[in-house]
Amino acid sequence: MDNTDQTPTLRRRLIAGCTWLLLAFIQSALAEFQPEPVGKIETLPAAYPDHWVMVHDFSFFHMMEGEVLVVDPLAENQASQYKGMMTASFIAAYQRARERNEHYVIETFYSRGTRGGERTDVVTIYAPDTLAVSGEVVIPSKRITGMPKQIATGLINGERFLGVYNFTPAQSVSIVDLENRQFVGEVTTAGCAFVLPNGVRSFTSICANGTFLTSHLNADGTLKDASRSAVAFDANNDPIFEGAAISGGVAYFPTFTGQVLPVDISRDEIAVEDKWWLTTTDERNWRPGGMNVATVDAAGAGYFLMNPDGGEGTHKDGGAEVWVYDLDQGERTARITLTNWGLSLGTTGTGDGRLLLVTNAEMGVDVYRLPGGEFVQTLDTGAATPFMVHGAN
Amino acid sequence: MDNTDQTPTLRRRLIAGCTWLLLAFIQSALAEFQPEPVGKIETLPAAYPDHWVMVHDFSFFHMMEGEVLVVDPLAENQASQYKGMMTASFIAAYQRARERNEHYVIETFYSRGTRGGERTDVVTIYAPDTLAVSGEVVIPSKRITGMPKQIATGLINGERFLGVYNFTPAQSVSIVDLENRQFVGEVTTAGCAFVLPNGVRSFTSICANGTFLTSHLNADGTLKDASRSAVAFDANNDPIFEGAAISGGVAYFPTFTGQVLPVDISRDEIAVEDKWWLTTTDERNWRPGGMNVATVDAAGAGYFLMNPDGGEGTHKDGGAEVWVYDLDQGERTARITLTNWGLSLGTTGTGDGRLLLVTNAEMGVDVYRLPGGEFVQTLDTGAATPFMVHGAN
Amino acid sequence: MRESNLIDRITERVSRGFARHTSRRGLLGLLGAGVVGAASVPLLPVARADQHQPQKSDIPEAGDDTTCEYWRYCAIDGFLCSCCGGSVNTCPPGTEMSPITWIGTCTNPVDNKNYVVSYNDCCGKSGCGNCMCNRNEGDRPMYNPPKSNDINWCLGTQSAVYNCSTAIVVGIAVE
Amino acid sequence: MRESNLIDRITERVSRGFARHTSRRGLLGLLGAGVVGAASVPLLPVARADQHQPQKSDIPEAGDDTTCEYWRYCAIDGFLCSCCGGSVNTCPPGTEMSPITWIGTCTNPVDNKNYVVSYNDCCGKSGCGNCMCNRNEGDRPMYNPPKSNDINWCLGTQSAVYNCSTAIVVGIAVE
């Protein structure tokens, strides 16, 4: 007899009962056979090998079904590369706190999916071993959505706070207390965008007029006060990219034409340093370009994705080479010719196990060894639009 | 001054104000120029041309982002074929009430998207001209999900009620009052599946033991009583497909081996008629196969998708030909050789404008003229997995 | 025999299919590398008659507004509404046009004037997926919002879900 | 020069890319037409060592459980968990295994015995998308639930969202 009014709990018991009845029947008929266990779920090591990567598939053609894949980039085939997955709804952002050993997916849901309804923005917390949701913090439904920028979110005060850049188009940053897993409040950043953590408990935003705005937080995550830099770059004629190579307490921002603007972020008040060129005067046709055009490896070397056909409007076109720099000296140390045209850079690993990950123009992710730049393979993870790759190191 | 606490209404006004300020600035600078209007939304005719189709893209690889496209299958290119779209979340079902002139998408949402949360099942009602949501009815979160079957839902009592088949795995049918746009209740169908409307205010379900269960409703949509047929087919050795060609008050169900089981559904009590073969004894290698393997056109002719390599396990493989029948006589009248291997059938149009739509093995939708079967073109709508095509006629 | 042919056809179809979703230029655009010189195929009159009629002003026009090469798209990033049930300056049925946008300045090849183009997004339904197109002439980073096509401009709408992008001429650029 | 090469590469990549999502047999399976005779490529030992170890009983084994041709998959319909962070009989991290399933009877090519295979779905995360595989030996219509692979068997789980399918041997079939 069917009972459509049964409670979920009762139904669950009935279901389990039916399953075990069936198994019992099979087993009684075949006393010698030992069935395989049902219900086993895989887990991962709580400390990932430091060459693993998190591949963020933005799923540009189905934005509500983005994913962050946990991947071993040195494994030989799909089955061994693909370790697991976190869902990431509506062109989400991703952060990872190494000390807390947690993944954060900053994402957006609608009560009626892609046709709308009530919007809910959350910081979803994942445990690295189980890839299960270990918590979530609801934040104001204002987070910026669009193409991926790593500094759309940032870990402030070590890993105490997570800042989430909002754009409604009013500009602000939501502060989340990761210790207590609760929303603290919003910090206004009028005219300025993003969250670049600096000093003890501050973060810096990039302003449309070419200045920087630094917000200083109190110990509870509320705004103490703010300071603004002088004009540091020409936001119209030679703007800095949103993504910097950060090493030794300095954020090295490439500009559209191929200069580098170093910003010391080691102290509560930032210090803008002198620009230098990625290119010699003979190389000005080479310009940085792509999605994530600048990164560093565990040894502090800087990597920039370079396009030989640089010019107005090429800043998202990606590049044919990755140029390697001693950032502190402002000197190029190597050029890596890419096997496939590159669009976005990431690194992972430490020591001799360092790797460069390049999302290529065909939406594959290419793996190169560092420092030599030897091509290893193109990943086979099934990601449709893997715009960003994050190292586990 | 930024104001992050502004209310949505206020924010909307600010936004509108900024837009118009910008436009005003541009216009004042260029008095002679007339800007194009902003904010125009297209509409469709309330009565679609009867050769249009609704292409249901189940988006099998991103199930929360299914779509039902409104398509002109005779237009020459993508821009002119693609008329508009309704979203259809989580392997949804689709129905259309011609007299009420409404589309229905029976769909499922989760409060946290693909990672779960609270489930909500709804019947979403769309106006055909605006393709905007004109209403929704929340139903029990029990609707079956899986591969598409047209009789997973059905319009009962003309277009007064919509029945939605539930599987939890308890089996029942949710009854929705389309007149008052409200959920009425559930009808238990223990051991039996689906909603095949029959008679005045009844619907029939197919049972695992080879019988049919007919549920008779009261005028308010509640269950009056039910009746069950004798065993009508062999559910294990020669089961009927879930989809029938329905014409003249008779549902013609093909079986796996290629017989047809006619079931008279014109009266409150169904009548199972004698089986007949689609094939001659020399043709038994031809078997029906695919997703939607049987359909009829506006003139009442029956179409079956046929596979020359039929055998156990081929019932979803699709076919190379479509065979055409005078259903009442049980006689084949034509064979249409498909340009591309076919997987699922639909028809549209009336009179000389009748069309056969065949979802092909490459997930294109091929258009053929009826009755002759001349190939017209493969649609260019962008649908990823267009498993079902519904005629506007 | 049939099976192996099917495999070939599927491989081909998949290739064609993706190409349909994302015009090659569009895909390159999405992926960042621009292509120049792709031939622009004029629409047949019969096809044009079937399409939604854009709300055009008296701007001189040339080119096919369902291709990424069309002049108004010089700073667009997204799915062209012309391929999605809308037109170059109208939204598809059931969507909502964003009231705020980013702005490009594009040169009309007929009169050689620079026009101000407002790329209002259409919002409230899933991404259309057809005619992906990205061009970045005058595009600036996200911290310069009025010039940034990286932002999802479905703002001030009931839903932030992005469907497609229009290209509406709102002015003539002053040099 | 570069651009035209890029176009070729993209076309090829897209083709390869989709093939990766959906093994050709898998795609054919999804689309309904079975293929026979595709070669089964054995996994390299090093790759096997990297993979999650399935919880195997003492059933004699042969074949590659990341391909649709593997013997246990005779009535499966979905993404193979072996390609999704799980294994032939375990679910990927963070998913939940459905307690109720459909059942197939598959012939083991080593001992030629028929085994009862339970295709428990893994649920609660988006569809994995890798190694799509559909075979229908013994599959019956949806009104015969225990034998129907057309049903989304993420039932009795916290979420009905389908991620991938396992193939767990739970018995030997009695003739």
Side-chain angles (χ1 to χ4, degrees), chain B residues 309-350:
Chain B
D309 302 321
E312 170 58 33
T314 68
H315 54 284
K316 294 179 193 166
D317 287 3
E321 297 188 9
V322 170
W323 291 8
V324 190
Y325 289 81
D326 178 324
L327 293 167
D328 187 47
Q329 298 298 316
E331 281 177 9
R332 185 173 67 207
T333 57
R335 290 169 62 161
I336 298 172
T337 301
L338 297 177
T339 301
N340 301 302
W341 186 262
L343 283 175
S344 195
L345 302 183
T347 63
T348 192
T350 54

Side-chain angles (χ1 to χ4, degrees), chain A residues 60-61 90 110 114-115 145-147 149 167 194 206 208 233 236 239-240 242 312-313 315-317 343 361 363, chain C residues 22 30-34 79 100 124-126 132 136 138-145 147 149-150 152 155 160-161:
Chain A
F60 192 81
F61 290 84
F90 201 51
Y110 277 95
T114 52
R115 73 170 166 88
T145 57
M147 295 300 283
K149 309 291 171 182
F167 182 75
F194 301 127
I206 311 173
F233 63 93
N236 277 313
I240 59 174
E242 298 97 332
E312 169 59 32
H315 53 284
K316 294 179 194 166
D317 287 2
L343 282 174
M363 290 291 106
Chain C
T22 58
L30 165 66
L31 308 180
F79 309 119
I100 49 173
K125 289 180 187 279
S126 303
M132 174 66 212
N136 300 300
D139 170 75
R140 291 295 175 264
M142 265 194 187
Y143 56 76
N144 198 346
K147 294 185 175 178
N149 69 23
D150 274 356
N152 170 19
L155 297 170
V161 177

Side-chain angles (χ1 to χ4, degrees), chain D residues 83-98:
Chain D
C83 303
C84 302
S87 75
V88 68
N89 56 13
T90 59
C91 283
T95 64
E96 183 184 4
M97 190 179 283
S98 172

Side-chain angles (χ1 to χ4, degrees), chain A residues 9 41 92-93 112 124 146 167-168 170 185 187 231 241 254 267-268 288 308 331 340 369 376:
Chain A
T9 311
I41 312 292
R112 293 298 181 264
T124 305
F167 182 75
T168 68
V187 174
V231 171
F241 283 85
R267 284 177 285 274
D268 291 352
E331 281 176 9
N340 300 302
R369 291 197 182 275
V376 180

